[in-house]
Amino acid sequence: MSDDTADALAVEDCVEYCRTQAGLLSGSVETMNDEADALLDEIDQEMAEIRSRLEALPDEVAATETPSTADVPDASEVDVAAIEDLQAELEEKQLLVEAKQARMQAFQELAAGYTELAEELASTVDDGQEALTRIIEFEADADAPVYFDERETMVETAAAAADSGSE
């Protein structure tokens, strides 16, 4: 096998690696989207519960404006406290959804970066070592290892090789 064939194969391997990384990131985005949808469903359910409790409150609240019995204010306070608890839970879930959306955006941007890099490598790079160097630089600049819990990136592999070589 000639060096040209080895370099072409190495560039193709690098292109395939970038496409695989982009696909994995897209899969993570789909999973996060499903999780966000589930949270949004929970938020909708809690909003409906808050609405129904609030609809029940005006009668009790109106009763407290007139001379009241000891039972009515206590019932109102319990309902108000329960509604406040639901509202706090709702706000927490909304913050989780926002965080998931921001995370999804970051994953989508990195996936797009990998896709663009794959296209660049396929069309402009002939040397396998140059392709690998570009991937490592891209991953280092994008902090790519943070996005992959169960998979080692090229930049991590290169760093581990450099560490083991210096020992």
Side-chain angles (χ1 to χ4, degrees), residues 67-116:
S68 61
T69 63
D71 294 334
V72 175
D74 290 339
S76 295
E77 289 172 17
V78 171
D79 284 340
V80 170
I83 290 171
E84 287 174 350
D85 288 345
L86 282 173
Q87 183 178 358
E89 289 176 28
L90 180 69
E91 289 170 358
E92 283 182 35
K93 287 181 181 175
Q94 287 172 328
L95 290 174
L96 282 173
V97 169
E98 289 173 14
K100 281 197 182 293
Q101 289 171 335
R103 195 163 183 242
M104 286 170 26
Q105 177 75 27
F107 273 64
Q108 288 170 330
E109 289 172 5
L110 185 58
Y114 271 113
T115 300
E116 290 171 13

Short mmCIF file of all heavy atoms in Angstrom, two decimals, residues 67-116:
data_model
loop_
_atom_site.label_atom_id
_atom_site.label_comp_id
_atom_site.label_asym_id
_atom_site.label_seq_id
_atom_site.Cartn_x
_atom_site.Cartn_y
_atom_site.Cartn_z
N PRO A 67 -66.66 39.48 58.44
CA PRO A 67 -66.27 38.78 59.68
C PRO A 67 -66.21 37.28 59.41
O PRO A 67 -67.13 36.70 58.84
CB PRO A 67 -67.39 39.13 60.65
CG PRO A 67 -67.94 40.41 60.13
CD PRO A 67 -67.76 40.39 58.65
N SER A 68 -65.10 36.69 59.79
CA SER A 68 -64.89 35.30 59.41
C SER A 68 -64.85 34.41 60.63
O SER A 68 -64.63 34.85 61.75
CB SER A 68 -63.59 35.16 58.64
OG SER A 68 -62.51 35.58 59.43
N THR A 69 -64.98 33.13 60.34
CA THR A 69 -64.85 32.13 61.39
C THR A 69 -63.40 31.68 61.41
O THR A 69 -62.64 31.95 60.48
CB THR A 69 -65.77 30.93 61.12
OG1 THR A 69 -65.34 30.31 59.92
CG2 THR A 69 -67.22 31.34 61.05
N ALA A 70 -63.01 30.97 62.37
CA ALA A 70 -61.62 30.50 62.48
C ALA A 70 -61.29 29.48 61.40
O ALA A 70 -60.15 29.36 61.00
CB ALA A 70 -61.39 29.90 63.86
N ASP A 71 -62.29 28.76 60.89
CA ASP A 71 -62.03 27.71 59.91
C ASP A 71 -61.65 28.27 58.55
O ASP A 71 -60.80 27.73 57.86
CB ASP A 71 -63.23 26.79 59.77
CG ASP A 71 -63.49 26.00 61.03
OD1 ASP A 71 -62.54 25.77 61.80
OD2 ASP A 71 -64.65 25.61 61.24
N VAL A 72 -62.28 29.34 58.11
CA VAL A 72 -62.08 29.82 56.74
C VAL A 72 -60.67 30.34 56.50
O VAL A 72 -60.02 29.93 55.54
CB VAL A 72 -63.15 30.88 56.37
CG1 VAL A 72 -62.88 31.46 55.00
CG2 VAL A 72 -64.53 30.26 56.44
N PRO A 73 -60.10 31.22 57.35
CA PRO A 73 -58.75 31.67 57.08
C PRO A 73 -57.73 30.53 57.09
O PRO A 73 -56.82 30.52 56.28
CB PRO A 73 -58.46 32.67 58.20
CG PRO A 73 -59.80 33.14 58.64
CD PRO A 73 -60.71 31.97 58.45
N ASP A 74 -57.90 29.56 57.98
CA ASP A 74 -56.97 28.45 58.00
C ASP A 74 -57.02 27.67 56.69
O ASP A 74 -55.99 27.28 56.15
CB ASP A 74 -57.27 27.50 59.16
CG ASP A 74 -56.93 28.12 60.50
OD1 ASP A 74 -56.12 29.07 60.51
OD2 ASP A 74 -57.48 27.66 61.52
N ALA A 75 -58.19 27.46 56.16
CA ALA A 75 -58.33 26.75 54.88
C ALA A 75 -57.66 27.56 53.77
O ALA A 75 -56.98 27.00 52.91
CB ALA A 75 -59.80 26.52 54.56
N SER A 76 -57.83 28.88 53.77
CA SER A 76 -57.22 29.73 52.75
C SER A 76 -55.70 29.67 52.85
O SER A 76 -55.00 29.59 51.86
CB SER A 76 -57.69 31.17 52.89
OG SER A 76 -59.05 31.27 52.64
N GLU A 77 -55.21 29.75 54.08
CA GLU A 77 -53.77 29.72 54.28
C GLU A 77 -53.17 28.41 53.80
O GLU A 77 -52.11 28.39 53.19
CB GLU A 77 -53.44 29.95 55.75
CG GLU A 77 -53.71 31.38 56.20
CD GLU A 77 -53.56 31.55 57.71
OE1 GLU A 77 -52.94 30.67 58.36
OE2 GLU A 77 -54.06 32.56 58.22
N VAL A 78 -53.85 27.31 54.05
CA VAL A 78 -53.36 26.01 53.59
C VAL A 78 -53.33 25.97 52.07
O VAL A 78 -52.35 25.56 51.46
CB VAL A 78 -54.21 24.86 54.17
CG1 VAL A 78 -53.84 23.55 53.51
CG2 VAL A 78 -54.03 24.79 55.67
N ASP A 79 -54.39 26.43 51.44
CA ASP A 79 -54.44 26.43 49.98
C ASP A 79 -53.39 27.36 49.40
O ASP A 79 -52.73 27.02 48.42
CB ASP A 79 -55.82 26.83 49.48
CG ASP A 79 -56.84 25.71 49.62
OD1 ASP A 79 -56.42 24.54 49.75
OD2 ASP A 79 -58.03 26.01 49.59
N VAL A 80 -53.22 28.54 49.99
CA VAL A 80 -52.21 29.48 49.50
C VAL A 80 -50.81 28.88 49.65
O VAL A 80 -49.99 28.96 48.74
CB VAL A 80 -52.33 30.84 50.24
CG1 VAL A 80 -51.14 31.73 49.91
CG2 VAL A 80 -53.63 31.53 49.86
N ALA A 81 -50.54 28.26 50.78
CA ALA A 81 -49.24 27.63 51.00
C ALA A 81 -49.00 26.51 49.98
O ALA A 81 -47.89 26.39 49.43
CB ALA A 81 -49.13 27.09 52.41
N ALA A 82 -50.02 25.73 49.73
CA ALA A 82 -49.88 24.64 48.74
C ALA A 82 -49.64 25.21 47.35
O ALA A 82 -48.82 24.68 46.59
CB ALA A 82 -51.12 23.76 48.76
N ILE A 83 -50.34 26.28 47.03
CA ILE A 83 -50.16 26.91 45.72
C ILE A 83 -48.75 27.49 45.61
O ILE A 83 -48.09 27.36 44.58
CB ILE A 83 -51.23 27.99 45.47
CG1 ILE A 83 -52.59 27.31 45.26
CG2 ILE A 83 -50.88 28.86 44.27
CD1 ILE A 83 -53.76 28.26 45.24
N GLU A 84 -48.27 28.10 46.67
CA GLU A 84 -46.91 28.65 46.66
C GLU A 84 -45.88 27.55 46.50
O GLU A 84 -44.89 27.72 45.78
CB GLU A 84 -46.66 29.45 47.94
CG GLU A 84 -47.40 30.78 47.97
CD GLU A 84 -47.28 31.51 49.30
OE1 GLU A 84 -46.78 30.91 50.29
OE2 GLU A 84 -47.70 32.68 49.34
N ASP A 85 -46.11 26.40 47.13
CA ASP A 85 -45.20 25.26 46.95
C ASP A 85 -45.21 24.78 45.50
O ASP A 85 -44.16 24.50 44.92
CB ASP A 85 -45.59 24.10 47.88
CG ASP A 85 -45.28 24.38 49.34
OD1 ASP A 85 -44.51 25.33 49.62
OD2 ASP A 85 -45.81 23.66 50.20
N LEU A 86 -46.40 24.67 44.93
CA LEU A 86 -46.51 24.26 43.52
C LEU A 86 -45.81 25.27 42.61
O LEU A 86 -45.13 24.89 41.65
CB LEU A 86 -47.97 24.13 43.10
CG LEU A 86 -48.69 22.85 43.55
CD1 LEU A 86 -50.18 22.94 43.23
CD2 LEU A 86 -48.07 21.64 42.88
N GLN A 87 -45.97 26.54 42.92
CA GLN A 87 -45.33 27.59 42.11
C GLN A 87 -43.81 27.48 42.20
O GLN A 87 -43.12 27.61 41.19
CB GLN A 87 -45.79 28.97 42.57
CG GLN A 87 -45.23 30.09 41.71
CD GLN A 87 -45.73 31.47 42.14
OE1 GLN A 87 -46.53 31.60 43.05
NE2 GLN A 87 -45.25 32.48 41.46
N ALA A 88 -43.28 27.21 43.38
CA ALA A 88 -41.84 27.05 43.53
C ALA A 88 -41.33 25.85 42.73
O ALA A 88 -40.30 25.94 42.05
CB ALA A 88 -41.49 26.88 45.02
N GLU A 89 -42.07 24.74 42.77
CA GLU A 89 -41.71 23.56 41.97
C GLU A 89 -41.76 23.88 40.49
O GLU A 89 -40.89 23.47 39.71
CB GLU A 89 -42.66 22.40 42.27
CG GLU A 89 -42.49 21.77 43.62
CD GLU A 89 -43.53 20.68 43.89
OE1 GLU A 89 -44.01 20.05 42.93
OE2 GLU A 89 -43.85 20.46 45.06
N LEU A 90 -42.76 24.62 40.11
CA LEU A 90 -42.93 25.02 38.72
C LEU A 90 -41.75 25.87 38.26
O LEU A 90 -41.20 25.64 37.17
CB LEU A 90 -44.25 25.80 38.58
CG LEU A 90 -44.63 26.30 37.21
CD1 LEU A 90 -44.97 25.14 36.30
CD2 LEU A 90 -45.82 27.24 37.32
N GLU A 91 -41.35 26.81 39.08
CA GLU A 91 -40.21 27.66 38.72
C GLU A 91 -38.93 26.85 38.58
O GLU A 91 -38.13 27.09 37.68
CB GLU A 91 -40.05 28.78 39.76
CG GLU A 91 -41.15 29.82 39.67
CD GLU A 91 -41.15 30.81 40.83
OE1 GLU A 91 -40.32 30.68 41.75
OE2 GLU A 91 -42.02 31.71 40.81
N GLU A 92 -38.73 25.86 39.46
CA GLU A 92 -37.56 24.99 39.37
C GLU A 92 -37.56 24.21 38.05
O GLU A 92 -36.53 24.09 37.39
CB GLU A 92 -37.53 24.01 40.54
CG GLU A 92 -37.07 24.60 41.84
CD GLU A 92 -37.02 23.56 42.96
OE1 GLU A 92 -36.69 22.39 42.69
OE2 GLU A 92 -37.33 23.94 44.10
N LYS A 93 -38.71 23.69 37.70
CA LYS A 93 -38.81 22.93 36.45
C LYS A 93 -38.60 23.83 35.24
O LYS A 93 -37.98 23.41 34.25
CB LYS A 93 -40.15 22.20 36.37
CG LYS A 93 -40.21 21.02 37.32
CD LYS A 93 -41.50 20.26 37.25
CE LYS A 93 -41.46 19.12 38.26
NZ LYS A 93 -42.69 18.40 38.35
N GLN A 94 -39.08 25.05 35.32
CA GLN A 94 -38.86 25.99 34.21
C GLN A 94 -37.37 26.29 34.06
O GLN A 94 -36.87 26.37 32.94
CB GLN A 94 -39.66 27.28 34.43
CG GLN A 94 -41.15 27.09 34.21
CD GLN A 94 -41.97 28.32 34.59
OE1 GLN A 94 -41.63 29.06 35.50
NE2 GLN A 94 -43.08 28.49 33.90
N LEU A 95 -36.67 26.43 35.17
CA LEU A 95 -35.22 26.65 35.12
C LEU A 95 -34.51 25.43 34.53
O LEU A 95 -33.56 25.58 33.75
CB LEU A 95 -34.67 26.97 36.51
CG LEU A 95 -35.04 28.33 37.09
CD1 LEU A 95 -34.56 28.45 38.53
CD2 LEU A 95 -34.49 29.46 36.24
N LEU A 96 -34.98 24.23 34.88
CA LEU A 96 -34.41 23.02 34.29
C LEU A 96 -34.61 22.98 32.78
O LEU A 96 -33.71 22.61 32.03
CB LEU A 96 -35.03 21.77 34.93
CG LEU A 96 -34.52 21.36 36.30
CD1 LEU A 96 -35.35 20.22 36.86
CD2 LEU A 96 -33.06 20.96 36.23
N VAL A 97 -35.80 23.36 32.34
CA VAL A 97 -36.09 23.38 30.90
C VAL A 97 -35.16 24.38 30.21
O VAL A 97 -34.58 24.08 29.16
CB VAL A 97 -37.57 23.70 30.62
CG1 VAL A 97 -37.80 23.99 29.15
CG2 VAL A 97 -38.46 22.55 31.08
N GLU A 98 -35.01 25.55 30.79
CA GLU A 98 -34.13 26.56 30.20
C GLU A 98 -32.69 26.06 30.13
O GLU A 98 -32.00 26.27 29.12
CB GLU A 98 -34.21 27.86 31.00
CG GLU A 98 -35.52 28.59 30.84
CD GLU A 98 -35.66 29.79 31.77
OE1 GLU A 98 -34.65 30.22 32.37
OE2 GLU A 98 -36.79 30.28 31.90
N ALA A 99 -32.23 25.39 31.18
CA ALA A 99 -30.88 24.85 31.19
C ALA A 99 -30.74 23.76 30.11
O ALA A 99 -29.72 23.71 29.41
CB ALA A 99 -30.55 24.27 32.56
N LYS A 100 -31.74 22.91 29.98
CA LYS A 100 -31.71 21.87 28.94
C LYS A 100 -31.67 22.50 27.55
O LYS A 100 -30.95 22.04 26.67
CB LYS A 100 -32.90 20.93 29.06
CG LYS A 100 -32.73 19.90 30.14
CD LYS A 100 -33.69 18.75 29.98
CE LYS A 100 -33.54 17.75 31.09
NZ LYS A 100 -32.26 17.04 31.08
N GLN A 101 -32.45 23.55 27.36
CA GLN A 101 -32.48 24.21 26.06
C GLN A 101 -31.11 24.83 25.74
O GLN A 101 -30.64 24.73 24.61
CB GLN A 101 -33.57 25.27 26.03
CG GLN A 101 -34.97 24.65 25.99
CD GLN A 101 -36.09 25.66 26.16
OE1 GLN A 101 -35.91 26.73 26.74
NE2 GLN A 101 -37.26 25.31 25.67
N ALA A 102 -30.47 25.43 26.74
CA ALA A 102 -29.14 26.00 26.52
C ALA A 102 -28.14 24.89 26.21
O ALA A 102 -27.29 25.04 25.31
CB ALA A 102 -28.70 26.78 27.75
N ARG A 103 -28.25 23.79 26.91
CA ARG A 103 -27.35 22.65 26.68
C ARG A 103 -27.58 22.06 25.28
O ARG A 103 -26.63 21.71 24.58
CB ARG A 103 -27.60 21.60 27.76
CG ARG A 103 -26.54 20.56 27.84
CD ARG A 103 -26.62 19.80 29.16
NE ARG A 103 -25.54 18.85 29.22
CZ ARG A 103 -25.69 17.54 29.29
NH1 ARG A 103 -26.89 17.02 29.36
NH2 ARG A 103 -24.65 16.74 29.31
N MET A 104 -28.85 21.96 24.90
CA MET A 104 -29.18 21.45 23.57
C MET A 104 -28.57 22.35 22.50
O MET A 104 -28.01 21.87 21.51
CB MET A 104 -30.70 21.35 23.38
CG MET A 104 -31.31 20.19 24.13
SD MET A 104 -33.13 20.13 24.23
CE MET A 104 -33.73 20.98 22.84
N GLN A 105 -28.65 23.66 22.69
CA GLN A 105 -28.08 24.63 21.74
C GLN A 105 -26.57 24.41 21.61
O GLN A 105 -26.04 24.37 20.51
CB GLN A 105 -28.38 26.05 22.22
CG GLN A 105 -27.77 27.13 21.37
CD GLN A 105 -28.50 27.34 20.07
OE1 GLN A 105 -29.68 27.07 19.97
NE2 GLN A 105 -27.79 27.82 19.07
N ALA A 106 -25.89 24.23 22.74
CA ALA A 106 -24.45 24.00 22.71
C ALA A 106 -24.11 22.70 21.98
O ALA A 106 -23.17 22.66 21.16
CB ALA A 106 -23.89 23.98 24.14
N PHE A 107 -24.86 21.65 22.24
CA PHE A 107 -24.63 20.37 21.57
C PHE A 107 -24.87 20.50 20.07
O PHE A 107 -24.13 19.95 19.25
CB PHE A 107 -25.54 19.28 22.16
CG PHE A 107 -24.96 18.58 23.36
CD1 PHE A 107 -24.71 19.26 24.54
CD2 PHE A 107 -24.70 17.22 23.32
CE1 PHE A 107 -24.20 18.62 25.65
CE2 PHE A 107 -24.18 16.56 24.43
CZ PHE A 107 -23.93 17.26 25.60
N GLN A 108 -25.92 21.23 19.69
CA GLN A 108 -26.22 21.43 18.26
C GLN A 108 -25.11 22.21 17.57
O GLN A 108 -24.72 21.88 16.45
CB GLN A 108 -27.56 22.16 18.09
CG GLN A 108 -28.75 21.29 18.43
CD GLN A 108 -30.06 22.08 18.49
OE1 GLN A 108 -30.09 23.26 18.84
NE2 GLN A 108 -31.16 21.41 18.21
N GLU A 109 -24.58 23.22 18.26
CA GLU A 109 -23.49 24.01 17.68
C GLU A 109 -22.24 23.16 17.48
O GLU A 109 -21.57 23.25 16.44
CB GLU A 109 -23.20 25.23 18.54
CG GLU A 109 -24.30 26.27 18.47
CD GLU A 109 -24.12 27.41 19.48
OE1 GLU A 109 -23.08 27.45 20.18
OE2 GLU A 109 -25.04 28.25 19.56
N LEU A 110 -21.93 22.32 18.47
CA LEU A 110 -20.76 21.45 18.32
C LEU A 110 -20.98 20.43 17.21
O LEU A 110 -20.06 20.16 16.42
CB LEU A 110 -20.43 20.75 19.64
CG LEU A 110 -19.15 19.91 19.63
CD1 LEU A 110 -17.93 20.73 19.26
CD2 LEU A 110 -18.95 19.23 20.99
N ALA A 111 -22.17 19.88 17.12
CA ALA A 111 -22.48 18.93 16.04
C ALA A 111 -22.31 19.60 14.68
O ALA A 111 -21.73 19.01 13.76
CB ALA A 111 -23.90 18.38 16.19
N ALA A 112 -22.78 20.83 14.56
CA ALA A 112 -22.62 21.58 13.30
C ALA A 112 -21.14 21.81 13.01
O ALA A 112 -20.70 21.71 11.85
CB ALA A 112 -23.38 22.90 13.37
N GLY A 113 -20.37 22.09 14.06
CA GLY A 113 -18.93 22.28 13.87
C GLY A 113 -18.25 21.02 13.37
O GLY A 113 -17.40 21.07 12.47
N TYR A 114 -18.61 19.88 13.94
CA TYR A 114 -18.05 18.61 13.47
C TYR A 114 -18.45 18.35 12.01
O TYR A 114 -17.64 17.89 11.21
CB TYR A 114 -18.53 17.44 14.33
CG TYR A 114 -17.67 17.12 15.52
CD1 TYR A 114 -18.15 17.32 16.81
CD2 TYR A 114 -16.39 16.59 15.39
CE1 TYR A 114 -17.38 17.00 17.93
CE2 TYR A 114 -15.62 16.27 16.49
CZ TYR A 114 -16.11 16.49 17.75
OH TYR A 114 -15.35 16.17 18.85
N THR A 115 -19.70 18.65 11.68
CA THR A 115 -20.17 18.42 10.31
C THR A 115 -19.39 19.30 9.33
O THR A 115 -18.95 18.83 8.27
CB THR A 115 -21.68 18.70 10.22
OG1 THR A 115 -22.35 17.80 11.12
CG2 THR A 115 -22.20 18.49 8.81
N GLU A 116 -19.22 20.56 9.69
CA GLU A 116 -18.45 21.48 8.83
C GLU A 116 -17.00 21.01 8.69
O GLU A 116 -16.43 21.05 7.60
CB GLU A 116 -18.49 22.90 9.40
CG GLU A 116 -19.84 23.56 9.28
CD GLU A 116 -19.91 24.89 10.04
OE1 GLU A 116 -18.85 25.43 10.46
OE2 GLU A 116 -21.04 25.37 10.23
#
